[in-house]
Amino acid sequence: MRTAFPEELPPAAPPRRRRTRTYIAVALIAIAALLLAIGGWWLGAGRWTTVPTISGLDKVAAESAIRHAGLDVVEDPSYSNDITEDTVTGVDPAPGTRVTRFSSVHLKYSLGRPVVPQFTAGDSEDKVDALLRSRGLQPVHGPSRFSPNIAQGGVIGLSPTPGTRVAVGSTVTVVASAGNHPVTIPEVRGDSEADARAALTAAGLTVSGTRQQFDPGVDAGQAIGTDPSGQVDQGGSVTLLLSNALTVPDVTGKSTPDALSALTDAGLVGEAPQDSSSSSGGGVVTATSPAAGTRVDPSNNHVTLTVATNIVVPSVTGMSVREARQTLEALGLAVKVQSLLSSDSSQVIWQSPGGGSRVAAGGTVTITAIP
């Protein structure tokens, strides 16, 4: 017969673990009770506070009192001619008003009389106007002034000057720049390049470069003017215009080949008639078109020669030897002088061949002179 044994029970938890569980449960219950209490307080009286009384306090003390009441401060300053700076003038909502915590209270206080504000030189007039109005001042615009540093339209000054304390609503004159002071460009037409550069530099201008162009009234290499002309800002730069005109040399009396060579040396293109004796050298140039001394455009530099093989001898009797020689040699004729005294001032009394005769180009005319 078997003996019956009771069923085995699980081992009991250690005493220390039972105590830890108990403490946690008690703590959770305490926290829940505290939260319920705080929530009840907040939903009841704790949610509300009262705007404090700030009469007699300055700005700093008033801000402290408002924050101490659990409220945020929003500054609401204004300028005043009569109330000293930082004097509190009121709050919104009014003192004693019941409001929720952490809400905003507008603190009104005086900034005293405004000060003409500082500005950055070159600011736009609109920007400076807005700055003045924000200080309770009235901007007015005075005559602009030249300025080497501030571009046209930028503000260069205020009157009264920044830092001056004035009454609320005072007018402040805004002075804008008229740009750099203009300089009248000196007249350099007809000057050499060196003289023109010196005159422009002396006027405070910079010659940025040169440009050549045609001018029928100015010799090659000389100044025509400047670009721009008239007036420029002080310290500005100009381009110096130089003439590139070509001057037709005097080739009358020369043989056709010599005349063509002289024209080539002058940068010109000579054109002789096809029926002239240019190839043999027997023709003499009697005229050019354009005429000698004419300034021509390098882009149109052709010169036409008038060439003669027979020359009509002019009458030179009554002239001085000098005048007769110049007249005859200009036609390409050689001159032989017969005179007791070799003097250019002697008077011609006879010539051979006579006036109106025709001779070959390059022929000789004999003149007799006295004394």
Side-chain angles (χ1 to χ4, degrees), residues 274-364:
Q274 291 183 356
D275 60 352
S276 70
S277 302
S278 58
S279 60
S280 64
V284 173
V285 176
T286 58
T288 59
S289 178
T294 303
R295 300 180 185 92
V296 298
D297 191 335
S299 65
N300 184 22
N301 62 345
H302 288 251
V303 177
T304 301
L305 302 178
T306 299
V307 181
T309 56
N310 291 317
I311 307 298
V312 177
V313 179
S315 176
V316 295
T317 57
M319 295 183 183
S320 68
V321 171
R322 178 187 297 107
E323 292 171 337
R325 181 182 286 113
Q326 290 175 343
T327 301
L328 295 170
E329 289 179 346
L331 296 175
L333 298 171
V335 179
K336 179 179 179 181
V337 181
Q338 295 179 338
S339 177
L340 295 176
L341 299 176
S342 179
S343 172
D344 284 344
S345 61
S346 298
Q347 186 177 14
V348 177
I349 60 172
W350 182 80
Q351 69 181 76
S352 178
S357 303
R358 289 182 175 272
V359 298
T364 300

Side-chain angles (χ1 to χ4, degrees), residues 42-283:
W42 176 254
L43 294 175
R47 182 184 176 191
W48 301 92
T49 187
T50 301
V51 178
T53 299
I54 45 82
S55 60
L57 301 180
D58 62 13
K59 172 178 172 290
V60 174
E63 287 180 341
S64 177
I66 293 170
R67 290 194 176 95
H68 186 72
L71 300 169
D72 293 329
V73 178
V74 177
E75 295 187 0
D76 188 7
S78 61
Y79 291 99
S80 173
N81 291 333
D82 305 316
I83 303 174
T84 58
E85 188 176 357
D86 286 343
T87 298
V88 174
T89 58
V91 289
D92 184 23
T97 303
R98 192 164 181 261
V99 293
T100 58
R101 290 182 185 276
F102 310 120
S103 59
S104 297
V105 173
H106 289 254
L107 176 63
K108 301 178 182 180
Y109 62 94
S110 172
L111 293 172
R113 292 186 174 224
V115 173
V116 178
Q118 299 289 339
F119 70 98
T120 301
D123 282 346
S124 68
E125 292 180 90
D126 289 343
K127 183 176 181 179
V128 174
D129 287 355
L131 183 63
L132 292 171
R133 291 192 179 98
S134 72
R135 302 297 197 277
L137 303 173
Q138 181 63 40
V140 295
H141 295 269
S144 57
R145 296 203 308 259
F146 293 116
S147 172
N149 303 315
I150 306 301
Q152 184 175 1
V155 176
I156 59 176
L158 299 175
S159 180
T161 57
T164 304
R165 193 171 292 277
V166 295
V168 177
S170 295
T171 59
V172 177
T173 301
V174 179
V175 180
S177 170
N180 206 345
H181 195 288
V183 173
T184 298
I185 300 174
E187 178 59 58
V188 295
R189 182 179 175 83
D191 290 348
S192 67
E193 180 179 351
D195 289 346
R197 284 179 176 273
L200 294 169
T201 301
L205 302 174
T206 299
V207 179
S208 60
T210 60
R211 186 171 74 241
Q212 293 192 332
Q213 65 184 50
F214 174 65
D215 189 307
V218 180
D219 288 335
Q222 294 181 340
I224 299 171
T226 60
D227 182 20
S229 60
Q231 290 187 328
V232 294
D233 289 344
Q234 189 174 35
S237 62
V238 296
T239 298
L240 180 60
L241 305 180
L242 299 175
S243 173
N244 62 358
L246 302 175
T247 302
V248 179
D250 186 0
V251 295
T252 55
K254 294 182 180 291
S255 66
T256 302
D258 288 346
L260 292 173
S261 178
L263 292 173
T264 300
D265 292 343
L268 301 166
V269 177
E271 297 177 343
Q274 291 183 356
D275 60 352
S276 70
S277 302
S278 58
S279 60
S280 64

